Amino acid sequence: MNRNALLIISLFAMLLTACSDDDSFTTSPSNLLTFSTDTVKLDTVFSRIPTATRTFWVYNHSGDGIRCSSVRLEQGNQTGFRVNVDGIYLGESQGYQTNEIEIRDKDSIRVFVELTSPNNNAKTPQLLEDNLVFTLESGVQQRVNLRGYTWDAAIYGLLEIQHDTTISSTKPIVIQSGLKVDSGATLTVAAGTTLYFGQRAGADVYGRLIAEGTADNNVVFRGDRIDRMFDYLPYDRVPGQWQGIHFHESSYENSFNYADIHSAYNGVVCDSSSVERLKLRAYNTIIHNCQGYGLLETNCVVDLYNCQITNTLNDCAAFFGGGAMLRHCTIAQFYPFDSNRGVALRFANYRNEHTYPLYQFDVYNTLVTGYADDVVMGDFKDDVSATYMFSHCILRTIKPDTLDTERFVDVQFEDIKDTAAITGEKHFKNIDADRQYYDFHLDSLSTAIDSGLVLPNGYSAYDRDGKPRDSRPDIGAYEFQHHKGAANIRRRR
């Protein structure tokens, strides 16, 4: 036998040995699987609504092949967990288990987990658990815990209000297709009620919508995702989660008090209608984090007091004609996702091809700021009337060379060239774009403190949180709350 033949035989023997090693499976109880996690945690979800998918890996670092005689859900179909193991779905026909899963040495498989929980018949989120049990041929059992909190909700497709109706519920109300308030009908949403909207859903109001919240129990309008996009980022902080609230032409006398509207596409849209009637009164209301406009008003009448309108891709608050009164508002543009964001405040006497007289635009004790050098935009056609006035406001905009003292009364213009000036985000307690967390209460250094005017008829009595203002009210929706040592801090400002 020649030398080449011996070499070929030796190589062939090595290959057979390698194959034999790869295909060997141990029954020793000391050979165990390793898991990328011992617990799969799913976020809080509504009962009967599927969760997002979570995954984990199963590794074999034992030094020999391991065969699982079964992989099963310990409680079968009782909990609502759904599992796919290495491409095999543990469904009813398989008895919620699979057999003969092989994991060779130094190999791995991936497991996918979802949950659609049954109703738990409780008022608060309830913990739901199961175990995924890996039974090895050795008889050893290894477990990965599956857990999530589920919350019962009243779930609607299209919710249509045809008669005067009051919704009052501490139980979540999920609206998947949309809310419609018919012309002639009034929907009242009581304090402490939260309406959760699906991504394609919003509120279309042809009649009347009243949100009667309190300082301690707001009425909340938000998206229906209560899980997280990332560990640090709940979906509730992501814009565009639902479509927002639209007041159509036939809608009048709408009222918000202590309402919280956030993470919509357009927060609130007010269509053109008669300027002889009030379209919307929004007091103590937040409109925040929208992928379109925060508040878009076209040729109608709105009244805003103690409102926070912040962080939108388009303008935070835009007024095209009609009449508007703003008192003690905070309008701030720190939208982080697009540098081509709109301004904080826009007012004009036309929109697109249509002209609309701006017969009143009065702004008192209002803070308007943002990232950009100029976040206030007034745009007018000379042949259309425009009446506006700012009193005791802070405006991040270019100060006119010639100041009209009838239109600008005791206004602070933020000087962006003054690096020592308190401008933009320095007014506020927390502007954290990385975590999408914002706190628009005043920082102790803000020049808004003590700079407002005491307004008549009690409009400077309380702030957006329901806390009393002092005899020198602050500009914006929030009164700075003085604590021990605050006087000394402010004197150093």
Side-chain angles (χ1 to χ4, degrees):
M1 185 178 293
N2 62 37
R3 186 174 180 179
N4 289 336
L6 286 172
L7 180 61
I8 291 171
I9 292 172
S10 298
L11 290 172
F12 184 67
M14 291 172 64
L15 288 171
L16 288 176
T17 301
C19 291
S20 177
D21 289 342
D22 285 345
D23 289 339
S24 67
F25 291 91
T26 181
T27 57
S28 170
S30 62
N31 290 68
L32 300 174
L33 298 172
T34 304
F35 303 97
S36 60
T37 183
D38 59 5
T39 304
V40 177
K41 296 179 181 179
L42 296 162
D43 298 310
T44 300
V45 294
F46 293 122
S47 305
R48 298 184 288 140
I49 295 181
T51 69
T53 303
R54 294 288 185 267
T55 70
F56 68 93
W57 290 92
V58 183
Y59 302 102
N60 181 3
H61 301 309
S62 70
D64 210 339
I66 294 177
R67 183 181 287 118
C68 298
S69 58
S70 70
V71 181
R72 63 186 175 86
L73 279 166
E74 195 165 49
Q75 299 185 53
N77 67 340
Q78 300 303 304
T79 56
F81 285 99
R82 299 186 303 281
V83 177
N84 183 300
V85 179
D86 197 30
I88 301 172
Y89 175 61
L90 309 191
E92 183 178 5
S93 60
Q94 291 83 25
Y96 302 98
Q97 71 175 38
T98 185
N99 303 320
E100 305 300 325
I101 291 291
E102 297 178 350
I103 309 174
R104 289 175 168 78
D105 183 37
K106 299 180 179 62
D107 203 353
S108 63
I109 62 172
R110 195 174 187 183
V111 179
F112 299 83
V113 180
E114 295 176 349
L115 170 64
T116 303
S117 77
N119 286 338
N120 56 48
N121 299 314
K123 293 181 179 180
T124 58
Q126 300 294 305
L127 177 63
L128 192 64
E129 287 188 282
D130 203 344
N131 290 307
L132 190 62
V133 182
F134 293 77
T135 302
L136 313 186
E137 279 194 331
S138 64
V140 172
Q141 290 189 337
Q142 295 182 263
R143 287 172 168 80
V144 174
N145 182 244
L146 314 179
R147 57 166 42 205
Y149 283 87
T150 69
W151 196 7
D152 281 1
I155 299 174
Y156 299 90
L158 175 64
L159 179 58
E160 186 169 2
I161 306 300
Q162 299 177 320
H163 309 285
D164 291 356
T165 303
T166 297
I167 295 177
S168 178
S169 177
T170 56
K171 185 177 182 178
I173 298 172
V174 179
I175 301 170
Q176 296 179 317
S177 299
L179 167 66
K180 180 182 178 184
V181 182
D182 288 350
S183 178
T186 296
L187 172 62
T188 301
V189 186
T193 302
T194 298
L195 300 183
Y196 297 83
F197 291 85
Q199 187 169 27
R200 296 184 180 181
D204 285 289
V205 183
Y206 298 88
R208 187 183 182 200
L209 174 61
I210 299 175
E212 293 183 335
T214 67
D216 295 326
N217 289 289
N218 281 204
V219 171
V220 180
F221 301 85
R222 53 158 292 175
D224 68 348
R225 295 292 298 269
I226 55 176
D227 53 338
R228 291 174 176 267
M229 177 177 282
F230 306 112
D231 288 342
Y232 66 91
L233 184 61
Y235 273 101
D236 195 36
R237 296 184 194 167
V238 179
Q241 292 299 299
W242 60 293
Q243 295 303 303
I245 300 171
H246 189 165
F247 295 110
H248 291 266
E249 180 181 357
S250 58
S251 178
Y252 294 96
E253 305 297 336
N254 298 285
S255 177
F256 292 149
N257 193 26
Y258 291 106
D260 181 348
I261 303 160
H262 63 268
S263 299
Y265 183 72
N266 290 319
V268 176
V269 175
C270 297
D271 281 354
S272 177
S273 54
S274 171
V275 295
E276 300 299 320
R277 298 176 63 185
L278 180 68
K279 186 81 169 183
L280 171 66
R281 177 182 290 109
Y283 286 4
N284 307 298
T285 292
I286 293 174
I287 304 173
H288 175 67
N289 194 32
C290 298
Q291 199 174 3
Y293 288 92
L295 171 63
L296 173 60
E297 174 270 317
T298 303
N299 196 45
C300 54
V301 181
V302 297
D303 179 11
L304 309 180
Y305 163 62
N306 276 347
C307 287
Q308 174 197 314
I309 308 175
T310 46
N311 291 24
T312 60
L313 176 57
N314 292 331
D315 304 329
C316 291
F319 303 85
F320 297 99
M325 178 77 75
L326 285 70
R327 309 177 188 89
H328 279 294
C329 293
T330 296
I331 305 175
Q333 179 59 295
F334 296 102
Y335 188 80
F337 298 108
D338 195 326
S339 60
N340 194 32
R341 64 184 78 85
V343 297
L345 177 63
R346 185 184 301 275
F347 55 106
N349 58 6
Y350 71 96
R351 184 181 181 207
N352 299 329
E353 302 300 320
H354 301 280
T355 58
Y356 305 107
L358 184 69
Y359 76 88
Q360 180 185 18
F361 189 73
D362 292 343
V363 185
Y364 296 91
N365 291 358
T366 291
L367 171 56
V368 186
T369 190
Y371 279 136
D373 294 347
D374 188 352
V375 296
V376 182
M377 185 64 65
D379 196 5
F380 310 110
K381 289 186 176 181
D382 294 337
D383 58 343
V384 182
S385 63
T387 301
Y388 62 93
M389 186 271 291
F390 293 86
S391 174
H392 294 78
C393 295
I394 295 176
L395 304 179
R396 188 176 178 87
T397 189
I398 300 170
K399 183 177 181 179
D401 293 333
T402 302
L403 189 64
D404 186 338
T405 56
E406 292 186 358
R407 284 181 165 170
F408 297 95
V409 179
D410 288 327
V411 169
Q412 299 178 36
F413 292 90
E414 289 193 349
D415 187 350
I416 59 175
K417 296 179 181 179
D418 185 354
T419 57
I422 303 301
T423 62
E425 57 193 299
K426 296 180 182 179
H427 285 290
F428 306 112
K429 280 191 174 181
N430 198 343
I431 303 295
D432 186 345
D434 291 335
R435 294 190 304 123
Q436 298 304 298
Y437 178 77
Y438 299 87
D439 185 344
F440 288 99
H441 289 81
L442 294 176
D443 182 83
S444 61
L445 298 179
S446 175
T447 55
I449 298 172
D450 290 349
S451 296
L453 173 71
V454 177
L455 301 178
N457 302 318
Y459 280 107
S460 293
Y462 296 93
D463 74 353
R464 197 271 157 190
D465 294 330
K467 295 180 178 179
R469 299 182 185 272
D470 59 29
S471 59
R472 299 173 62 191
D474 301 342
I475 291 174
Y478 302 99
E479 184 80 356
F480 179 74
Q481 298 303 306
H482 301 284
H483 303 289
K484 186 176 180 180
N488 292 330
I489 292 172
R490 291 172 60 193
R491 278 197 292 270
R492 291 197 298 269
R493 189 174 69 225

